[in-house]
Amino acid sequence: MVTINKILVLLLLPLFAGAQQRVTIQPAMPERGQTVTVTFDPSVPGSPIPANASSVTLNFTYSNFYDLPWKIKMDKKDGKWTTSFKLAKFAAFATFTLISGDSVEKPGPGKHYEVPVYENGKPVENGNLYKGYSLGAQLGKSPVLAAS
């Protein structure tokens, strides 16, 4: 039986299927030992980083990718910024933003881009634990807390 929700999804799917994303992470479900590629397309509207930025840096805000630096310079090719890194055998989870000068690209308020690591299609052991640990970096302190 077809429900109204299914009909709406079928009607709206073509609208979103062609929508571009500013930041893509490939592969979608990376495993240890694989190379992850992060691509930033400044031509997609809505980014605080201008299309004519002279540099873009991937900035890990939380990571157990201990073999990688906290900041990785991205390379510009064909109008898009990209960088790649290999996941070590201990990798489990990381979050990052993209920075250019004072501009910060992130997927939304209180949210950073995530690189969860998988094994056979499931998050690796402790991946969800690291994801929980990352919330402090993503959300920051509550505005109702007194300044200390």
Side-chain angles (χ1 to χ4, degrees):
M1 185 168 166
V2 178
T3 65
I4 291 177
N5 287 341
K6 288 180 184 176
I7 292 170
L8 286 173
V9 167
L10 291 174
L11 290 173
L12 295 175
L13 188 60
L15 296 175
F16 295 107
Q20 289 182 302
Q21 294 182 323
R22 283 193 307 270
V23 175
T24 56
I25 303 166
Q26 293 295 327
M29 297 175 71
E31 297 196 9
R32 292 170 175 158
Q34 288 185 322
T35 298
V36 173
T37 300
V38 177
T39 304
F40 168 60
D41 185 350
S43 69
V44 177
S47 177
I49 297 176
N52 64 350
S54 60
S55 69
V56 176
T57 302
L58 183 145
N59 179 46
F60 285 111
T61 54
Y62 180 85
S63 173
N64 89 319
F65 300 174
Y66 303 124
D67 58 327
L68 297 174
W70 282 95
K71 294 183 179 190
I72 302 174
K73 294 282 185 192
M74 299 182 81
D75 298 313
K76 192 172 189 179
K77 183 178 180 185
D78 299 328
K80 297 180 182 179
W81 293 90
T82 186
T83 191
S84 297
F85 48 88
K86 187 174 180 178
L87 296 177
K89 62 183 177 180
F90 51 80
F93 186 84
T95 60
F96 68 89
T97 60
L98 302 179
I99 55 175
S100 180
D102 292 333
S103 301
V104 179
E105 166 69 35
K106 50 187 177 176
K111 185 96 173 99
H112 296 182
Y113 293 101
E114 298 180 350
V115 182
V117 181
Y118 294 84
E119 185 174 348
N120 299 321
K122 296 180 181 178
V124 296
E125 183 178 0
N126 293 328
N128 287 329
L129 179 65
Y130 287 115
K131 184 174 183 169
Y133 289 156
S134 77
L135 293 177
Q138 294 187 61
L139 298 173
K141 291 183 178 180
S142 170
V144 297
L145 290 176
S148 52

